[in-house]
PDB file of all heavy atoms in Angstrom:
ATOM      1  N   LEU A   1       0.830  -1.205   0.000  1.00 94.00           N
ATOM      2  CA  LEU A   1       0.000   0.000   0.000  1.00 94.00           C
ATOM      3  C   LEU A   1       0.863   1.254   0.000  1.00 94.00           C
ATOM      4  O   LEU A   1       0.591   2.219  -0.730  1.00 94.00           O
ATOM      5  CB  LEU A   1      -0.917  -0.025   1.226  1.00 94.00           C
ATOM      6  CG  LEU A   1      -1.993   1.058   1.335  1.00 94.00           C
ATOM      7  CD1 LEU A   1      -2.958   0.979   0.165  1.00 94.00           C
ATOM      8  CD2 LEU A   1      -2.755   0.899   2.648  1.00 94.00           C
ATOM      9  N   ALA A   2       1.922   1.249   0.789  1.00 94.00           N
ATOM     10  CA  ALA A   2       2.828   2.400   0.835  1.00 94.00           C
ATOM     11  C   ALA A   2       3.523   2.612  -0.507  1.00 94.00           C
ATOM     12  O   ALA A   2       3.794   3.757  -0.900  1.00 94.00           O
ATOM     13  CB  ALA A   2       3.856   2.191   1.945  1.00 94.00           C
ATOM     14  N   GLN A   3       3.792   1.507  -1.216  1.00 95.00           N
ATOM     15  CA  GLN A   3       4.486   1.613  -2.507  1.00 95.00           C
ATOM     16  C   GLN A   3       3.614   2.250  -3.593  1.00 95.00           C
ATOM     17  O   GLN A   3       4.131   2.681  -4.622  1.00 95.00           O
ATOM     18  CB  GLN A   3       4.938   0.223  -2.950  1.00 95.00           C
ATOM     19  CG  GLN A   3       6.063  -0.350  -2.090  1.00 95.00           C
ATOM     20  CD  GLN A   3       6.404  -1.782  -2.412  1.00 95.00           C
ATOM     21  OE1 GLN A   3       5.698  -2.443  -3.167  1.00 95.00           O
ATOM     22  NE2 GLN A   3       7.483  -2.288  -1.825  1.00 95.00           N
ATOM     23  N   LEU A   4       2.315   2.341  -3.366  1.00 94.00           N
ATOM     24  CA  LEU A   4       1.443   3.024  -4.329  1.00 94.00           C
ATOM     25  C   LEU A   4       1.680   4.535  -4.323  1.00 94.00           C
ATOM     26  O   LEU A   4       1.345   5.228  -5.282  1.00 94.00           O
ATOM     27  CB  LEU A   4      -0.028   2.736  -4.016  1.00 94.00           C
ATOM     28  CG  LEU A   4      -0.512   1.308  -4.255  1.00 94.00           C
ATOM     29  CD1 LEU A   4      -1.968   1.160  -3.831  1.00 94.00           C
ATOM     30  CD2 LEU A   4      -0.352   0.900  -5.713  1.00 94.00           C
ATOM     31  N   GLN A   5       2.231   5.035  -3.229  1.00 93.00           N
ATOM     32  CA  GLN A   5       2.615   6.454  -3.098  1.00 93.00           C
ATOM     33  C   GLN A   5       1.441   7.385  -3.392  1.00 93.00           C
ATOM     34  O   GLN A   5       1.560   8.368  -4.122  1.00 93.00           O
ATOM     35  CB  GLN A   5       3.799   6.774  -4.021  1.00 93.00           C
ATOM     36  CG  GLN A   5       5.052   5.991  -3.668  1.00 93.00           C
ATOM     37  CD  GLN A   5       6.238   6.348  -4.547  1.00 93.00           C
ATOM     38  OE1 GLN A   5       6.088   6.963  -5.604  1.00 93.00           O
ATOM     39  NE2 GLN A   5       7.431   5.964  -4.118  1.00 93.00           N
ATOM     40  N   ASN A   6       0.297   7.057  -2.805  1.00 96.00           N
ATOM     41  CA  ASN A   6      -0.888   7.902  -2.930  1.00 96.00           C
ATOM     42  C   ASN A   6      -1.503   8.016  -1.536  1.00 96.00           C
ATOM     43  O   ASN A   6      -2.050   7.053  -1.005  1.00 96.00           O
ATOM     44  CB  ASN A   6      -1.884   7.288  -3.914  1.00 96.00           C
ATOM     45  CG  ASN A   6      -3.069   8.201  -4.203  1.00 96.00           C
ATOM     46  OD1 ASN A   6      -3.735   8.657  -3.287  1.00 96.00           O
ATOM     47  ND2 ASN A   6      -3.315   8.450  -5.478  1.00 96.00           N
ATOM     48  N   THR A   7      -1.382   9.199  -0.942  1.00 95.00           N
ATOM     49  CA  THR A   7      -1.796   9.366   0.458  1.00 95.00           C
ATOM     50  C   THR A   7      -3.294   9.149   0.647  1.00 95.00           C
ATOM     51  O   THR A   7      -3.718   8.607   1.676  1.00 95.00           O
ATOM     52  CB  THR A   7      -1.418  10.764   0.969  1.00 95.00           C
ATOM     53  OG1 THR A   7      -1.962  11.761   0.078  1.00 95.00           O
ATOM     54  CG2 THR A   7       0.087  10.917   1.035  1.00 95.00           C
ATOM     55  N   LYS A   8      -4.103   9.536  -0.332  1.00 96.00           N
ATOM     56  CA  LYS A   8      -5.553   9.354  -0.183  1.00 96.00           C
ATOM     57  C   LYS A   8      -5.915   7.873  -0.206  1.00 96.00           C
ATOM     58  O   LYS A   8      -6.766   7.419   0.557  1.00 96.00           O
ATOM     59  CB  LYS A   8      -6.314  10.095  -1.280  1.00 96.00           C
ATOM     60  CG  LYS A   8      -7.828  10.013  -1.085  1.00 96.00           C
ATOM     61  CD  LYS A   8      -8.589  10.847  -2.085  1.00 96.00           C
ATOM     62  CE  LYS A   8     -10.100  10.736  -1.839  1.00 96.00           C
ATOM     63  NZ  LYS A   8     -10.879  11.546  -2.818  1.00 96.00           N
ATOM     64  N   VAL A   9      -5.248   7.118  -1.076  1.00 96.00           N
ATOM     65  CA  VAL A   9      -5.503   5.676  -1.141  1.00 96.00           C
ATOM     66  C   VAL A   9      -5.080   5.013   0.164  1.00 96.00           C
ATOM     67  O   VAL A   9      -5.797   4.146   0.694  1.00 96.00           O
ATOM     68  CB  VAL A   9      -4.766   5.046  -2.341  1.00 96.00           C
ATOM     69  CG1 VAL A   9      -4.824   3.530  -2.276  1.00 96.00           C
ATOM     70  CG2 VAL A   9      -5.385   5.532  -3.648  1.00 96.00           C
ATOM     71  N   VAL A  10      -3.923   5.417   0.673  1.00 96.00           N
ATOM     72  CA  VAL A  10      -3.461   4.869   1.959  1.00 96.00           C
ATOM     73  C   VAL A  10      -4.473   5.183   3.058  1.00 96.00           C
ATOM     74  O   VAL A  10      -4.806   4.323   3.890  1.00 96.00           O
ATOM     75  CB  VAL A  10      -2.079   5.447   2.333  1.00 96.00           C
ATOM     76  CG1 VAL A  10      -1.697   5.038   3.757  1.00 96.00           C
ATOM     77  CG2 VAL A  10      -1.018   4.966   1.345  1.00 96.00           C
ATOM     78  N   GLU A  11      -4.995   6.408   3.062  1.00 95.00           N
ATOM     79  CA  GLU A  11      -5.982   6.802   4.068  1.00 95.00           C
ATOM     80  C   GLU A  11      -7.263   5.973   3.938  1.00 95.00           C
ATOM     81  O   GLU A  11      -7.815   5.504   4.951  1.00 95.00           O
ATOM     82  CB  GLU A  11      -6.305   8.287   3.908  1.00 95.00           C
ATOM     83  CG  GLU A  11      -7.333   8.796   4.907  1.00 95.00           C
ATOM     84  CD  GLU A  11      -7.694  10.255   4.664  1.00 95.00           C
ATOM     85  OE1 GLU A  11      -7.047  10.902   3.816  1.00 95.00           O
ATOM     86  OE2 GLU A  11      -8.634  10.736   5.323  1.00 95.00           O
ATOM     87  N   LEU A  12      -7.735   5.772   2.706  1.00 96.00           N
ATOM     88  CA  LEU A  12      -8.963   5.014   2.488  1.00 96.00           C
ATOM     89  C   LEU A  12      -8.829   3.564   2.961  1.00 96.00           C
ATOM     90  O   LEU A  12      -9.675   3.043   3.692  1.00 96.00           O
ATOM     91  CB  LEU A  12      -9.333   5.040   1.004  1.00 96.00           C
ATOM     92  CG  LEU A  12      -9.999   6.307   0.474  1.00 96.00           C
ATOM     93  CD1 LEU A  12     -10.049   6.283  -1.050  1.00 96.00           C
ATOM     94  CD2 LEU A  12     -11.407   6.442   1.043  1.00 96.00           C
ATOM     95  N   ILE A  13      -7.757   2.901   2.539  1.00 96.00           N
ATOM     96  CA  ILE A  13      -7.589   1.482   2.882  1.00 96.00           C
ATOM     97  C   ILE A  13      -7.288   1.318   4.368  1.00 96.00           C
ATOM     98  O   ILE A  13      -7.754   0.357   5.005  1.00 96.00           O
ATOM     99  CB  ILE A  13      -6.472   0.843   2.027  1.00 96.00           C
ATOM    100  CG1 ILE A  13      -6.787   1.012   0.530  1.00 96.00           C
ATOM    101  CG2 ILE A  13      -6.335  -0.630   2.372  1.00 96.00           C
ATOM    102  CD1 ILE A  13      -8.127   0.427   0.108  1.00 96.00           C
ATOM    103  N   SER A  14      -6.543   2.259   4.950  1.00 95.00           N
ATOM    104  CA  SER A  14      -6.270   2.198   6.392  1.00 95.00           C
ATOM    105  C   SER A  14      -7.561   2.324   7.184  1.00 95.00           C
ATOM    106  O   SER A  14      -7.770   1.610   8.177  1.00 95.00           O
ATOM    107  CB  SER A  14      -5.301   3.304   6.796  1.00 95.00           C
ATOM    108  OG  SER A  14      -4.052   3.152   6.151  1.00 95.00           O
ATOM    109  N   SER A  15      -8.448   3.225   6.744  1.00 96.00           N
ATOM    110  CA  SER A  15      -9.725   3.382   7.447  1.00 96.00           C
ATOM    111  C   SER A  15     -10.584   2.138   7.271  1.00 96.00           C
ATOM    112  O   SER A  15     -11.345   1.765   8.172  1.00 96.00           O
ATOM    113  CB  SER A  15     -10.467   4.622   6.938  1.00 96.00           C
ATOM    114  OG  SER A  15     -10.855   4.473   5.575  1.00 96.00           O
ATOM    115  N   ALA A  16     -10.469   1.460   6.117  1.00 95.00           N
ATOM    116  CA  ALA A  16     -11.217   0.224   5.890  1.00 95.00           C
ATOM    117  C   ALA A  16     -10.736  -0.878   6.838  1.00 95.00           C
ATOM    118  O   ALA A  16     -11.543  -1.662   7.353  1.00 95.00           O
ATOM    119  CB  ALA A  16     -11.069  -0.224   4.438  1.00 95.00           C
ATOM    120  N   ILE A  17      -9.422  -0.935   7.073  1.00 94.00           N
ATOM    121  CA  ILE A  17      -8.883  -1.907   8.035  1.00 94.00           C
ATOM    122  C   ILE A  17      -9.434  -1.615   9.425  1.00 94.00           C
ATOM    123  O   ILE A  17      -9.828  -2.521  10.171  1.00 94.00           O
ATOM    124  CB  ILE A  17      -7.348  -1.874   8.032  1.00 94.00           C
ATOM    125  CG1 ILE A  17      -6.807  -2.370   6.683  1.00 94.00           C
ATOM    126  CG2 ILE A  17      -6.786  -2.723   9.172  1.00 94.00           C
ATOM    127  CD1 ILE A  17      -5.304  -2.233   6.534  1.00 94.00           C
ATOM    128  N   GLY A  18      -9.490  -0.332   9.771  1.00 94.00           N
ATOM    129  CA  GLY A  18     -10.061   0.049  11.057  1.00 94.00           C
ATOM    130  C   GLY A  18     -11.529  -0.350  11.177  1.00 94.00           C
ATOM    131  O   GLY A  18     -11.977  -0.820  12.229  1.00 94.00           O
ATOM    132  N   ASP A  19     -12.275  -0.171  10.088  1.00 94.00           N
ATOM    133  CA  ASP A  19     -13.687  -0.577  10.082  1.00 94.00           C
ATOM    134  C   ASP A  19     -13.821  -2.079  10.287  1.00 94.00           C
ATOM    135  O   ASP A  19     -14.691  -2.548  11.030  1.00 94.00           O
ATOM    136  CB  ASP A  19     -14.347  -0.177   8.757  1.00 94.00           C
ATOM    137  CG  ASP A  19     -14.496   1.333   8.610  1.00 94.00           C
ATOM    138  OD1 ASP A  19     -14.510   2.028   9.638  1.00 94.00           O
ATOM    139  OD2 ASP A  19     -14.594   1.807   7.466  1.00 94.00           O
ATOM    140  N   LEU A  20     -12.964  -2.842   9.605  1.00 92.00           N
ATOM    141  CA  LEU A  20     -12.991  -4.298   9.751  1.00 92.00           C
ATOM    142  C   LEU A  20     -12.743  -4.727  11.193  1.00 92.00           C
ATOM    143  O   LEU A  20     -13.460  -5.579  11.735  1.00 92.00           O
ATOM    144  CB  LEU A  20     -11.932  -4.928   8.835  1.00 92.00           C
ATOM    145  CG  LEU A  20     -12.356  -5.367   7.445  1.00 92.00           C
ATOM    146  CD1 LEU A  20     -11.133  -5.757   6.625  1.00 92.00           C
ATOM    147  CD2 LEU A  20     -13.321  -6.530   7.518  1.00 92.00           C
ATOM    148  N   VAL A  21     -11.735  -4.142  11.798  1.00 89.00           N
ATOM    149  CA  VAL A  21     -11.412  -4.481  13.184  1.00 89.00           C
ATOM    150  C   VAL A  21     -12.594  -4.168  14.096  1.00 89.00           C
ATOM    151  O   VAL A  21     -12.978  -4.980  14.944  1.00 89.00           O
ATOM    152  CB  VAL A  21     -10.159  -3.707  13.653  1.00 89.00           C
ATOM    153  CG1 VAL A  21      -9.939  -3.906  15.150  1.00 89.00           C
ATOM    154  CG2 VAL A  21      -8.926  -4.165  12.878  1.00 89.00           C
ATOM    155  N   GLN A  22     -13.190  -2.994  13.898  1.00 91.00           N
ATOM    156  CA  GLN A  22     -14.325  -2.593  14.734  1.00 91.00           C
ATOM    157  C   GLN A  22     -15.512  -3.535  14.535  1.00 91.00           C
ATOM    158  O   GLN A  22     -16.146  -3.968  15.509  1.00 91.00           O
ATOM    159  CB  GLN A  22     -14.734  -1.163  14.392  1.00 91.00           C
ATOM    160  CG  GLN A  22     -15.857  -0.615  15.280  1.00 91.00           C
ATOM    161  CD  GLN A  22     -16.207   0.821  14.944  1.00 91.00           C
ATOM    162  OE1 GLN A  22     -15.478   1.500  14.221  1.00 91.00           O
ATOM    163  NE2 GLN A  22     -17.325   1.291  15.461  1.00 91.00           N
ATOM    164  N   GLY A  23     -15.805  -3.876  13.284  1.00 88.00           N
ATOM    165  CA  GLY A  23     -16.928  -4.747  13.000  1.00 88.00           C
ATOM    166  C   GLY A  23     -16.737  -6.149  13.548  1.00 88.00           C
ATOM    167  O   GLY A  23     -17.665  -6.729  14.144  1.00 88.00           O
ATOM    168  N   ILE A  24     -15.552  -6.721  13.380  1.00 82.00           N
ATOM    169  CA  ILE A  24     -15.288  -8.080  13.850  1.00 82.00           C
ATOM    170  C   ILE A  24     -15.227  -8.111  15.376  1.00 82.00           C
ATOM    171  O   ILE A  24     -15.699  -9.066  16.010  1.00 82.00           O
ATOM    172  CB  ILE A  24     -13.978  -8.612  13.236  1.00 82.00           C
ATOM    173  CG1 ILE A  24     -14.155  -8.778  11.723  1.00 82.00           C
ATOM    174  CG2 ILE A  24     -13.580  -9.936  13.868  1.00 82.00           C
ATOM    175  CD1 ILE A  24     -12.885  -9.092  10.985  1.00 82.00           C
TER     176      ILE A  24
END
């Protein structure tokens, strides 16, 4: 994800991981 070098994409996917953790 870091190698994509796009801060918005990193923010989106990081927040999705957070959502997954919260939901599970």
Side-chain angles (χ1 to χ4, degrees):
L1 187 61
Q3 290 173 351
L4 291 177
Q5 297 182 344
N6 186 307
T7 54
K8 185 175 180 180
V9 170
V10 172
E11 180 184 353
L12 282 169
I13 303 303
S14 298
S15 66
I17 294 174
D19 291 337
L20 267 171
V21 172
Q22 184 178 347
I24 294 171

